[in-house]
Amino acid sequence: MKKKIALLLAAAMTVSLMAGCGGDSGSAQTAGNSEAAGAVTEEEVDPRFKYEEPVTLTSYFEISPALGEFNKEDMLNSVYYTRMTEETNISIDWLWYAANTPDDSQQKKSVAIASGEIPDFMIVNSSQLSLLAKSDLINRNIGEVFKKYASDELMAWTTGEGDAALEAATDKGEIIAIPLVDSSIDKAPMLWIRRDWIKKLGLEMPKTLDELYNVMVAFRDQDPDGNGKDDTIGMVFHNNFLSAGLGDGVGVFNGFGAYPTAWIEDGNGGLVYGSVKEENKDALNFLAKMYQEGLIEQDFSSNDEVKASEAAASGRAGIQYGLMWNANWPLNSTVQNDIEADWVALPIPTAVDGDAKPQISLAITGYVVVNKKCEHPEAVVRMLNFWVDKYGYSGEEYNDYLVKDANDVLNFPFHWVMLKTWFPLKNLTIHNNIVAALESGDSSSLNAEELVSYNDIQNYLSGDIVTSYGGMKTFGNDMSAYDTMNEYYEKDMFMWDKFTTGPTPTMGQKMSTVTDKVMEYYTKVIMGIETTDNFDDFVKELNSLGLDKITEEVNEWYAGK
């Protein structure tokens, strides 16, 4: 992969802007944007323009729990916001501060939407965007504003996984919000396995589900931890097993060509809810066999992922399905108890011909909507350009922005920045750059963020295994998480959830009932209370609960894309 997206600067143009979003309609306008709240002119502009006069936009601030103890003054006076104002002449008037929880921040946003009094810009979820699409509150021309003022780098990040993100922010052919993207591929399930146990028992790394089953039996029966006790199990597993994270079962289903919870193509030009496909029966029967034989915990139905993860951390389990971050928790805890613990990542084993396809869905952290009364909607795009420059391309300046996080570790102030988006392939790019540096012995081209993980890996190789475990196992070149991710990416193995918009009317009312019934039935089958002989009746029940109408609405949307 290329080291960086090329810095292709738009044609330079002096941009003279005055007044703020809250100013009166007679205020002077942008030289290249004479109708700032409406139509966008054709001439090119410098995406790194600076206003001649101060511009103030109103919004809100969500206090992330990751901040620990939040100090408003520290945030307002930080290097990030100070330099943003210096370089853009834009400041933000935070109308309110709230905890980033559904009961606080989301409720305040919903109240603002219902009252018709929204700030100059705000970040909403897909359901709130659907409500705003029906209102007369937002600038429906923001897509054109974005296309004009977005830097090449910001546009590359936003479209890093194709046009799906912009399509998700579209209503009636108009882009009505700016999608804040994350990495979809980072949510791809993979298999984590203890290589030291594989070697000790003389086994091979499993590529098929039959081979994985045999390894699990060996891990259960052959005392891989060498303590002389019958205290090991086959695999970590928990009660919310259709939610990818750690110790879940998503990768098992995918190995059988089943994609529960995802909307996938039905072969006839439409979409079908993956949880009702026949392939799920094989996956459920496989998991039921594992449960019956004690390869997974007998009390999994009462264990959340935190409780279930104790099996890996304590050394009772040497296999778990999970995501790319698992080496940082809980697998790093294993090595604190056993310095020889050697977790590695593998592509998910398959029961079908060819490679198994890990399921992923479009990752959008939120949608930026702009009040239609805002005189300078382009200011929102300018702040996003600033974020991309400083986080992605600031070079040595990157270190200037670092602050101590809740763990007393210097980090970029992610949680102080509301307007932020991500390069979807960022972590994979970090991995490939690090691997190239490891192979060449030259780390001079690595940026500050890449150097953190590179130094972790060097420390690991020098014997500092416990504190550097996460860096090595995530970004290293020896069966790390991103070794597996790179294979997925190079082979284009991902199975995408094709439903990329906000909830349909019936989905908003009844989807939770459908998903609860899916989990209830799946859990009962795994525990032997139900059997897959009743799968057709299960599907009929889902349809009676509203899935048939939801499917109809989903396909209406899909046909009109």
Side-chain angles (χ1 to χ4, degrees):
M1 294 181 63
K2 294 180 180 179
K3 169 64 181 160
K4 293 277 192 298
I5 299 173
L7 295 177
L8 304 174
L9 299 180
M13 177 179 179
T14 301
V15 182
S16 299
L17 300 172
M18 299 177 65
C21 285
D24 60 48
S25 59
S27 300
Q29 302 295 319
T30 308
N33 186 33
S34 61
E35 298 179 22
V40 178
T41 55
E42 292 299 323
E43 67 264 30
E44 291 183 332
V45 297
D46 180 358
R48 295 165 181 86
F49 64 82
K50 179 177 180 179
Y51 289 90
E52 286 189 349
E53 297 296 329
V55 169
T56 300
L57 285 75
T58 58
S59 190
Y60 65 87
F61 187 86
E62 287 185 336
I63 303 172
S64 169
L67 281 172
E69 189 173 329
F70 173 65
N71 185 307
K72 180 171 65 175
E73 296 305 317
D74 287 346
M75 185 267 289
L76 294 175
N77 297 322
S78 66
V79 173
Y80 185 88
Y81 281 106
T82 300
R83 289 194 181 171
M84 186 188 78
T85 300
E86 290 174 351
E87 294 186 24
T88 68
N89 220 356
I90 302 170
S91 59
I92 302 173
D93 178 12
W94 302 108
L95 299 180
W96 44 263
Y97 297 77
N100 185 9
T101 65
D103 291 337
D104 199 343
S105 179
Q106 295 298 331
Q107 185 179 40
K108 286 182 181 293
K109 284 186 281 186
S110 295
V111 169
I113 293 169
S115 69
E117 297 293 334
I118 64 173
D120 292 323
F121 74 90
M122 63 189 299
I123 301 168
V124 299
N125 59 32
S126 58
S127 298
Q128 292 162 337
L129 182 62
S130 295
L131 290 174
L132 286 164
K134 301 178 180 68
S135 74
D136 190 34
L137 298 175
I138 61 173
N139 184 334
R140 295 183 64 89
N141 197 47
I142 195 63
E144 294 304 312
V145 176
F146 178 74
K147 290 176 182 178
K148 178 176 180 179
Y149 286 93
S151 65
D152 292 314
E153 294 76 26
L154 173 59
M155 185 60 74
W157 287 25
T158 305
T159 59
E161 293 177 332
D163 294 330
L166 290 173
E167 289 175 358
T170 299
D171 178 64
K172 298 178 181 178
E174 298 175 312
I175 299 173
I176 63 171
I178 302 171
L180 301 178
V181 300
D182 201 347
S183 175
S184 303
I185 69 170
D186 283 359
K187 309 304 189 295
M190 56 187 63
L191 185 75
W192 288 93
I193 191 167
R194 283 191 61 169
R195 179 167 55 184
D196 56 314
W197 286 8
I198 289 284
K199 291 179 178 178
K200 181 177 181 179
L201 300 182
L203 304 172
E204 298 291 330
M205 289 294 181
K207 295 182 179 179
T208 70
L209 279 163
D210 285 341
E211 292 170 353
L212 178 62
Y213 168 79
N214 291 332
V215 171
M216 286 191 289
V217 171
F219 281 8
R220 180 195 62 188
D221 296 343
Q222 296 182 28
D223 192 25
D225 59 355
N227 66 358
K229 300 178 181 179
D230 183 16
D231 59 354
T232 50
I233 59 174
M235 186 180 82
V236 179
F237 198 64
H238 62 79
N239 58 9
N240 194 23
F241 52 84
L242 293 184
S243 178
L246 65 89
D248 57 85
V250 175
V252 174
F253 283 88
N254 294 172
F256 283 97
Y259 302 95
T261 74
W263 291 91
I264 58 176
E265 293 176 341
D266 62 7
N268 299 309
L271 299 181
V272 61
Y273 190 50
S275 298
V276 304
K277 295 283 287 180
E278 285 285 316
E279 290 83 357
N280 291 287
K281 294 166 63 174
D282 291 334
L284 288 169
N285 289 331
F286 181 79
L287 288 167
K289 179 181 180 181
M290 291 172 58
Y291 178 81
Q292 184 180 14
E293 296 180 2
L295 295 173
I296 56 179
E297 302 275 23
Q298 298 300 286
D299 61 348
F300 82 88
S301 63
S302 60
N303 292 340
D304 62 16
E305 65 177 13
V306 175
K307 179 65 176 176
S309 71
E310 294 174 2
S314 66
R316 291 193 301 110
I319 295 171
Q320 74 166 40
Y321 283 87
L323 298 182
M324 56 86 184
W325 49 263
N326 287 182
N328 291 288
W329 183 81
L331 305 184
N332 64 324
S333 300
T334 314
V335 77
Q336 295 174 5
N337 300 312
D338 180 1
I339 197 65
E340 300 297 327
D342 182 20
W343 288 97
V344 295
L346 300 174
I348 53 176
T350 182
V352 297
D353 292 335
D355 296 318
K357 294 181 176 294
Q359 73 182 72
I360 58 175
S361 58
L362 182 64
I364 295 179
T365 62
Y367 301 86
V368 185
V369 293
V370 178
N371 193 319
K372 72 172 187 176
K373 297 178 182 179
C374 179
E375 294 180 10
H376 292 298
E378 75 285 342
V380 173
V381 186
R382 178 65 183 95
M383 288 189 287
L384 279 168
N385 290 339
F386 181 85
W387 159 261
V388 170
D389 285 347
K390 300 312 176 186
Y391 177 58
Y393 301 98
S394 58
E396 293 182 1
E397 183 187 354
Y398 182 93
N399 293 323
D400 295 344
Y401 300 95
L402 303 182
V403 296
K404 286 189 176 180
D405 60 20
N407 297 315
D408 206 34
V409 175
L410 282 174
N411 213 327
F412 205 85
F414 309 121
H415 302 296
W416 281 356
V417 183
M418 292 300 297
L419 277 176
K420 58 180 180 286
T421 192
W422 308 93
F423 178 40
L425 300 180
K426 177 179 77 75
N427 286 328
L428 184 57
T429 303
I430 288 174
H431 163 74
N432 285 328
N433 291 342
I434 287 174
V435 169
L438 290 170
E439 291 175 351
S440 68
D442 180 7
S443 62
S444 61
S445 64
L446 299 181
N447 66 26
E449 184 176 17
E450 292 164 347
L451 278 171
V452 171
S453 296
Y454 177 83
N455 290 334
D456 262 353
I457 293 168
Q458 294 292 2
N459 291 337
Y460 179 95
L461 296 174
S462 298
D464 184 11
I465 293 175
V466 174
T467 57
S468 304
Y469 203 76
M472 179 64 183
K473 298 298 181 176
T474 303
F475 292 114
N477 59 349
D478 182 23
M479 299 181 73
S480 70
Y482 278 94
D483 280 332
T484 289
M485 193 71 74
N486 196 54
E487 181 174 345
Y488 285 164
Y489 182 76
E490 292 294 332
K491 293 182 178 180
D492 192 20
M493 293 166 62
F494 305 108
M495 175 63 75
W496 284 85
D497 186 334
K498 298 292 186 178
F499 186 70
T500 58
T501 190
T504 70
T506 307
M507 189 180 288
Q509 298 170 2
K510 299 184 177 181
M511 196 66 199
S512 62
T513 302
V514 171
T515 55
D516 287 347
K517 178 56 66 174
V518 170
M519 285 300 300
E520 178 187 333
Y521 173 75
Y522 279 18
T523 300
K524 286 182 176 179
V525 171
I526 294 170
M527 297 179 69
I529 301 169
E530 278 272 16
T531 73
T532 54
D533 293 341
N534 300 323
F535 193 81
D536 290 344
D537 292 333
F538 155 70
V539 174
K540 289 178 182 177
E541 185 176 6
L542 291 184
N543 285 326
S544 71
L545 293 172
L547 182 59
D548 53 354
K549 181 63 175 176
I550 293 170
T551 303
E552 178 184 326
E553 293 171 351
V554 166
N555 279 290
E556 287 176 0
W557 165 82
Y558 193 59
K561 283 186 61 181

